[in-house]
Structure formats: structure tokens, C-alpha cells
Amino acid sequence: MKKIAIDQFSELVKVLAERGPLYAPVKGKEGVNFQAIKNPADVTLDFYNTVLSPKSVFFPQSEDMIRYRITHGATEAQPVPQESRPAVILGVRPCDVRSFEIMDRHFLGAGVIDPYWKSKRDNTTVIGFAFDVSAAADPADFYNTFGYGAADPEGSDVFMVRTDKALLLKSMTDRGKKLLDSLGFLQVAGAQDEKVFEETVKKGKAVRTRSAEINPQVIAKKLVSVFDNGEFWQKVTMACIACGACTYGCPTCYCFDISDEMLFKEGSRKRFWDACTFTDFTLEASGHNPRPRIFQRYRQKVCHKYSYHVDKYGCISCVGCGRCTRVCPVNIDIFSIVDEANKL
Amino acid sequence: MTAFKKIEDHLRKEAKNLLEGGKVTLVLAYARGFDEKHPVPCVVKAAADADHLVFNEYCTYNMARYLTRYPVGTKIAVAVKGADSRAVVQLIQEGKVRRDDLVILGIPATGMKNQKTGEVIDAKTTASTINPVLYDVLLGDEIHGVKAGSPYDVLAEFEGMDKDARWAFWKKEFERCIRCYACRKACPMCYCDPCFMDASRPRWADKSPTDDGTLMYHLTRFYHLAGRCIDCGECSRACPVDIPLHLFHKKVAKECEAMFGQAAGMNIEDKPAMANFKGEDSDQMLG
Amino acid sequence: MSFEPKILGIACNWCTYTGADLAGTTRLKYPQNLRLIRVMCSSRINPSFIIRGFQLGADGVLVGGCHPGDCHYGTGNLYARRKLAITRKILEFAGMEPGRFRVEWISASEGNKFAEVVGEFTNQVRTLGPQTKFKITKDGQ
Ligand code: SF4
Ligand code: SF4
Ligand code: SF4
Ligand code: SF4
């Protein structure tokens, strides 16, 4: 294990940013969010969790796939080269770290490998960051439901714990080890630090978020059985205004749209986030919309995450980060809805 | 300060009476969310459920937003604070809802709080109307003697800016926009289906979140809200990345009031300003 | 090379566009910077056209319609006046230079006025320089 004094943190950031793309939490007007770091001083470790999820690092909101130009009688088209530089994402909370593995199942494990996700994921070292285990969890969080703790190192390449004076950095994978070994200026942590690290992980298990008994297989079947209970779905989604905030904030929502966008005969085919709650998500060219009602669309969201995803990939696609609830303009809370459905 | 508890009791009682008496088939108001500080908009259809209704300083939603979801002819009771009541009036002006279909439960309120920041919502931010402008039943007492201030005072800083600085300001704000469309969806006056942003022929703006599409979205939306925005502030509060859309809406509202002599949603007899003209309109407005 | 502004003109069929024709047939000179689009009435002009014009590279936008009271459809331009007035305020509050947008009432017989307005407006926009605020740049995408 390695460590670095907190007042040296900017050194670490500086080196990482010089080597290649570094994504880290930056404070903006709206709160803290992950950004590509240009100026090391921008990085902050003082945040509960980012407003939007870290998924944008591997799955940007908008991404060009092909660029083209239409000239006389011909179209020149070039696929956009994939990112191949080694990158680092620093400061990901434990629940969010788990989201990467869930997304992997979809983007890498579904029989078709998504090159856009893969290239970034393969080249990126994830530095997880424990929540403050002495503080209470945000009331919207419910990651305990999935058995996650506030300081679980699983899934990170390097896991970072903050103590009074230092940041402890423990490598969890080979990739993580390589990264730490390459940072010669880090101090070697002592036995006392190891103890603090272990204790933090343990204390993290005791941080309580909202939690419910939700067995993936059981809830998957349950939701199918209540699918036709329109009264239930209408009641729990009445307030939903069908925006995209919950989806865009969610670390495990991966739906996208593809569109050709051109200006003055030059353009690109791009993919960009879409949300199942939008009116036109399922709108067909004929004008027919199989999910015209808001409750149908929100039901899709819940069922996709908690039922279809279990059937297809063997796990729930939610990590209980609480973002959807926090960003929802009308406080729709997926946890309460799933919990209620579970009890029907 | 508003007597929230008193309003809540009154709200429950009225809702129960109205539903029991068959006067309305649904009541649009607030219920408890995952905790007290996070209430949710709710619809109550049975008198027995009226006890679930709540009212506290975090009930910032504009319930008029939900009115246009129901077919004309549905008898609805709707709980509205000052600005929200103006939305009801504006919707009546626009023929989207009928006065006869509504029982307006007016809520005079000060000291409402932004759920995210906890800051008090007043004229400096949004919702400068304290007492409902139109109601059938008043829940609580009209509030007098509180200096409301002008909803437009907050604009001075921006109007005073150099135009380049103002552009830089808005550019920076809009850059954060993730096009989640929560702003239009939270707005009581954004009832178009489809919204111009969802149209593909013509396609007014890129579907992907490009900066120019975002500029087109917001400027056009500001225009579509001209003479209609009633300053409830829901657009800004809904925004997950805190873009102060209300400032621009306030500016447009201020100019409309100055040029056309009428504020949005004050009187059901008014015609919407942008669907109207008057003999005294002059070319001066083209400045 | 000195800067030559691109001016987008949007003119109503019955007055301003006919006025432009008249300016042409009477061989009046006016700058070639203008690209004129004909619409049936000034009230048909969606403010998004103006925004889009700026985005696609217009340095100035000139809107022309019949004189109030002379609208071919009776009252179209009276609605248009309100719409365009608000559009102007929106452009200004967004930070656009007010001098880049102008509305003029030009009748079918005012070929002279048409040529004068276009000349004057083009000069004004020329002194303002290229419009860069709304204009789409490739790397901004
Ligand atoms: S559904 Fe909500 S709680 Fe679950 S991962 Fe997505 S944002 Fe987090
Ligand atoms: S649940 Fe909330 S955030 Fe999600 S679409 Fe509905 S209103 Fe928007
Ligand atoms: S634009 Fe904003 S402030 Fe105006 S009515 Fe709509 S939500 Fe309310
Ligand atoms: S709510 Fe905010 S982020 Fe979402 S579309 Fe509106 S301005 Fe953009």
C-alpha cells in the first residue's frame, strides 16, 4: 500500500494529468462532477457524491462514430479512431465503481462487443474513493440494498481512503499496482496505515443507507407479475414529468440514440444518451407510439433495471447511488417504488 | 411566515369534502415523499386518501403543471400558491382548461424553500406572487404587510452587464446543459406535444446535445414563454445542473409587461399578449 | 480583404419583396450582401428562423413587412410586430449586438426605401464586424 500527504495531493494530480487523460471531481456551479482535468488545482475531494455519474468517462453523452463529407458525387467517410491513451479516473465512490462492472456485462458481455466502451474501459485505471465513513449517508442512497458498503474497495484498480492527513492508496488489481509502482514519489504505507485502511473498510460496512430485502430473481419475477397492474404504476408515477434527469444522472443507464447530423455537407454519425422516459423514445416512424403514457415509460425503466436486466445479464442494473432520486425534479424515488412492488 | 400546518389541515378537509360531495373527481396537491423535506406532487381520487396530503415549505411544485394532462371536462381541484394560480389563469386564457372544471384551492405562502439549497424562495429568486390571484377556497389567510419586492429587481445586475459579458455568462451556463428537458417538462406552460425540439421535420436543432442546438432550444423556449411565463421558477429548480433559466424568463416577462401592458396570468379576461395586438402598439417597440 | 457581411433578409411577399423587385426593375443599386428569403407574411416569420440565420453565419438579419394597416391579410404584421419586438429583446439579453437585427416596413412601391435600408443596414453591420456569438464553429460541436 502507498500513501501521500493530503497537502501533496495536487502533486499526484499533476503527474497523472501530465501522463494522459485524467478524469476527476471538479466543483462547478451545479455541484461536483467528473471532468477531464486541465488544471490540477481544479480537482476537489470535498464532495459527497457527484451530481452526475462517472459513466460519461466511458460512455460520453455524445460521441462521433463516423465523420463524413459529401463532395461532388461522392461521400468520404472515416470511422473516428478510438481513444487508446491510458487514462485514469480518480475519486469514484464505491457504489459507482460497481456500476462499471454492470455496464461491462451489457457493452462487452452481450455477444457483441461495443468498441467505444471497450477502448476507454480497457485503457482506464479506476481509482475508487471511500465515502467519509464517520458521516451519515445521503437520505436518497440505498446501496446497502445490494450489499455494498461505504468503503468497499471491490471493483477499483486502486482504492483510496482519506485520513486526517493522508490519502491511503491500495492497489486492488495488477493494473492498479502498475500505476502505483510507477508513481515513485508516493510513500510506502506502514502497518498502522494498513490497519486504518482495513478499519475504514469495516466501518464502511456499518454506514447505513436505506435498504430492503431485494432478491434479484424474486424481484425480476415479481415485476413481471405486476406489469399489468396499471393502477399501481399510475399511482407511483403520477408525479413523473417524463424528463431525462434520472436517466442521464444514472451510472447504469446505457440507452442511446444514433443520428446523422450534418451542416454544409459535413457531418457525423453520432450516438448520444437517450432516456426511456422521453415521449419519443419509442415513437415509430409511422407515428405509432407503443408507450404513449408516462406510467408505461417509467414502468419500462423500473422493469428494465430490476427485471429484464436480471433475466438477460443476471444482475440488477442499479447500484443504489441515489442519483435518480436526488436529481428528479419531483422526487420520484425508485427505491420506494421497487420496495412497494416487492411487497405487492 | 406561513402557517403550514394550518394550511395542511385545511387542504385535507377541503379535499375530503370535495371528493365526498362528488364536486371533483380528483385533487391535485402534495404528499410526503421519501422524507419530509422531499414532498411529491400527488393526485387524490378517494376521500379516504385525503389524509395523505401534506403542505410544508418544500412544496414548491407548481401543480398547475398537471392540469393539461386531463381531458377537458374532468372536474379537478388544484392546490396552488401565488405564482401557481397565475399559471391556472394563463391556462384558462389559452383555452387549455375551463374555469368551470376547476375548484382552485388557493394557498397564500411566504417562506417556501428550495429543496436543494434550503434558501427561501422570494421575489429575488422566483415566485414573487404571495397571494393567489384567483381561487375558490383560500387555505389559510391572505398575507398582507410583507414587502414582496419587484420580481425584476434581480435583473439589474444582468441588464447592467456589457453585452459581451452577458453572452459569456449565458454561454457558460448553457454549456452545462445536458438536455434532460426537465425545465420544459416542469413548466406548467410547456404543454406542446410534440415540443418543437422533438420535431424531426423540420428539425429545429440537433438531437444530440450540441451547443448550438442547446442555444436554439433555450432561446426559442424563452420566446415561446413570452407573455406566458408566470415566474413560478420551476424550470430553474428542476434543472439538475442549476442553470438560472428563470432570469431569462423574468427579463422576457419584464419586457412584455413594459411593451404590452399586461403581466401573464393575472386576469382570465386578458388575451395572451403574443396572440394579440392593440391599437396603441407602436413601432417604438422595435427600437 | 475587407470584411463583407452576410445579410439575411426575410421579406413578405406582398410589400417588401415586391419593393425589392421594384428596386431591381428600376435599376437601383444596393449591396449584394443581402440574401433575401420570401415569406407570405411577416407574421409567418418564426423567431427561430432569425436565430438559425445567425447560427448559420448571418452577420445581420433584416426583416421586412407591409406597413402596419396595409397587411395583405389584414393584421398579420400587427402580430409580427409584437413577435419581432420580443425577439429583439431576447437577442439582446443573450448578448447579441442589437445593431445586427432590424425590422423595416417597406411597401411594394418603396423600391427606393428598400435600396436605402439595405445599404444602410449593410454598412452598419460592416462596422460591427463578423458575427461570432451564435455562429456555429466546427470545433464547437
Ligand atoms: S437507478 Fe438510481 S439509484 Fe440505481 S444506479 Fe441508477 S441513479 Fe443510482
Ligand atoms: S422520475 Fe423524475 S427525473 Fe425521472 S423522468 Fe420522471 S420526473 Fe424526470
Ligand atoms: S418558464 Fe419557468 S418560471 Fe416560467 S412558468 Fe415555466 S417553469 Fe414557471
Ligand atoms: S433542465 Fe437544465 S440541463 Fe435539463 S435541459 Fe433544462 S437547462 Fe438543460
Side-chain angles (χ1 to χ4, degrees), chain A residues 224-273:
Chain A
V224 172
S225 74
V226 299
F227 185 89
D228 286 322
N229 187 344
E231 205 182 314
F232 168 74
W233 292 108
Q234 289 195 41
K235 188 189 87 192
V236 296
T237 63
M238 176 273 153
C240 177
I241 55 176
C243 63
C246 51
T247 303
Y248 288 1
C250 175
T252 57
C253 273
Y254 45 61
C255 285
F256 57 80
D257 192 359
I258 294 180
S259 159
D260 278 319
E261 287 172 359
M262 194 163 69
L263 186 66
F264 301 136
K265 305 215 182 251
E266 251 179 74
S268 60
R269 176 162 302 172
K270 38 178 99 182
R271 76 172 186 186
F272 45 92
W273 298 350

Side-chain angles (χ1 to χ4, degrees), chain A residues 7-308:
Chain A
D7 48 22
Q8 308 274 294
F9 174 61
S10 62
E11 271 309 298
L12 173 65
V13 171
K14 205 171 134 232
V15 172
L16 292 176
E18 273 165 11
R19 283 189 188 173
L22 170 69
Y23 303 92
V26 172
K27 177 144 181 52
K29 214 175 148 189
E30 77 284 16
V32 172
N33 268 318
F34 285 97
Q35 274 180 27
I37 302 305
K38 288 190 204 93
N39 178 4
D42 291 345
V43 179
T44 178
L45 292 177
D46 299 315
F47 64 101
Y48 178 76
N49 206 349
T50 51
V51 180
L52 302 174
S53 83
K55 75 174 168 190
S56 54
V57 169
F58 304 127
F59 176 42
Q61 177 160 14
S62 172
E63 187 168 17
D64 283 359
M65 302 190 294
I66 298 170
R67 300 208 180 98
Y68 49 79
R69 203 159 62 155
I70 299 174
T71 51
H72 284 289
T75 304
E76 296 162 23
Q78 289 295 329
V80 175
Q82 290 306 297
E83 178 67 78
S84 59
R85 290 173 300 169
V88 171
I89 176 166
L90 177 148
V92 188
R93 294 303 191 186
C95 49
D96 292 340
V97 169
R98 313 289 186 120
S99 74
F100 301 150
E101 188 259 345
I102 293 174
M103 297 281 261
D104 283 345
R105 296 194 194 201
H106 174 71
F107 281 124
L108 307 176
V112 179
I113 289 180
D114 183 280
Y116 307 96
W117 173 273
K118 187 173 172 15
S119 64
K120 296 182 210 60
R121 182 83 166 106
D122 281 353
N123 289 311
T124 305
T125 307
V126 176
I127 304 183
F129 182 32
F131 279 110
D132 178 355
V133 293
S134 56
D138 185 272
D141 287 13
F142 57 98
Y143 53 80
N144 283 176
T145 302
F146 305 102
Y148 305 154
D152 285 5
E154 288 87 354
S156 297
D157 292 309
V158 172
F159 195 65
M160 184 162 79
V161 164
R162 182 183 187 162
T163 67
D164 286 348
K165 292 199 187 70
L167 291 164
L168 307 178
L169 295 151
K170 182 167 180 150
S171 59
M172 307 301 298
T173 63
D174 286 347
R175 183 153 69 188
K177 188 167 178 314
K178 245 192 233 147
L179 178 76
L180 289 189
D181 287 348
S182 73
L183 298 164
F185 56 89
L186 296 178
Q187 289 169 266
V188 177
Q192 181 59 27
D193 296 322
E194 294 274 0
K195 220 178 111 200
V196 171
F197 186 94
E198 292 313 322
E199 261 166 21
T200 307
V201 173
K202 222 169 95 201
K203 272 196 208 142
K205 295 275 181 212
V207 172
R208 289 276 73 95
T209 70
R210 298 185 293 167
S211 181
E213 277 297 320
I214 293 176
N215 174 303
Q217 306 303 330
V218 175
I219 189 72
K221 291 208 179 59
K222 186 75 190 196
L223 286 169
V224 172
S225 74
V226 299
F227 185 89
D228 286 322
N229 187 344
E231 205 182 314
F232 168 74
W233 292 108
Q234 289 195 41
K235 188 189 87 192
V236 296
T237 63
M238 176 273 153
C240 177
I241 55 176
C243 63
C246 51
T247 303
Y248 288 1
C250 175
T252 57
C253 273
Y254 45 61
C255 285
F256 57 80
D257 192 359
I258 294 180
S259 159
D260 278 319
E261 287 172 359
M262 194 163 69
L263 186 66
F264 301 136
K265 305 215 182 251
E266 251 179 74
S268 60
R269 176 162 302 172
K270 38 178 99 182
R271 76 172 186 186
F272 45 92
W273 298 350
D274 202 353
C276 54
T277 39
F278 284 153
T279 319
D280 55 0
F281 185 76
T282 48
L283 184 64
E284 296 167 9
S286 65
H288 172 64
N289 192 344
R291 289 186 213 131
R293 310 275 308 270
I294 293 175
F295 86 87
Q296 297 168 324
R297 301 199 291 271
Y298 195 82
R299 177 180 64 192
Q300 162 64 23
K301 186 181 181 78
V302 176
C303 289
H304 180 207
K305 290 186 159 299
Y306 283 80
S307 179
Y308 318 147

Side-chain angles (χ1 to χ4, degrees), chain B residues 155 158-159 163-164 166-168 170-171 196 203-206 210-213 215-216 219-220 222-224 226 247-248 251-252 255-256 259-260 262 271-283 285-287, chain C residues 44-53 55 67-68 74-76 78-98 101-105 128 132-137 139-141:
Chain B
L155 290 173
F158 300 91
E159 290 169 335
K163 59 188 174 337
D164 295 341
R166 207 158 50 220
W167 167 246
W170 286 114
K171 191 164 183 280
F196 78 101
R203 188 192 265 177
W204 292 100
D206 293 335
T210 53
D211 289 348
D212 56 286
L215 182 71
M216 178 61 96
L219 293 189
T220 305
F222 296 143
Y223 170 73
H224 286 183
L247 290 174
F248 215 122
K251 173 65 181 175
V252 178
E255 295 296 346
C256 281
M259 289 191 291
F260 314 136
Q262 111 194 19
K271 262 184 99 178
M274 299 307 287
N276 198 12
F277 61 85
K278 287 191 183 138
E280 63 262 32
D281 283 1
S282 94
D283 281 349
M285 63 173 72
L286 293 167
Chain C
R44 194 265 174 263
I45 299 168
N46 184 328
S48 304
F49 294 173
I50 295 156
I51 298 166
R52 197 66 185 150
Q55 289 194 326
H67 286 270
T75 53
L78 302 179
Y79 292 103
R81 180 160 57 189
R82 284 190 166 202
K83 288 164 67 169
L84 295 164
I86 274 299
T87 305
R88 173 177 205 89
K89 301 290 180 193
I90 289 174
L91 290 172
E92 276 186 50
F93 199 59
M96 181 59 79
E97 296 80 5
F101 177 58
R102 180 143 159 199
V103 182
E104 282 292 342
W105 311 130
L128 286 170
T132 53
K133 286 173 178 156
F134 288 12
K135 188 175 174 184
I136 300 172
T137 49
D139 54 349
Q141 294 265 325

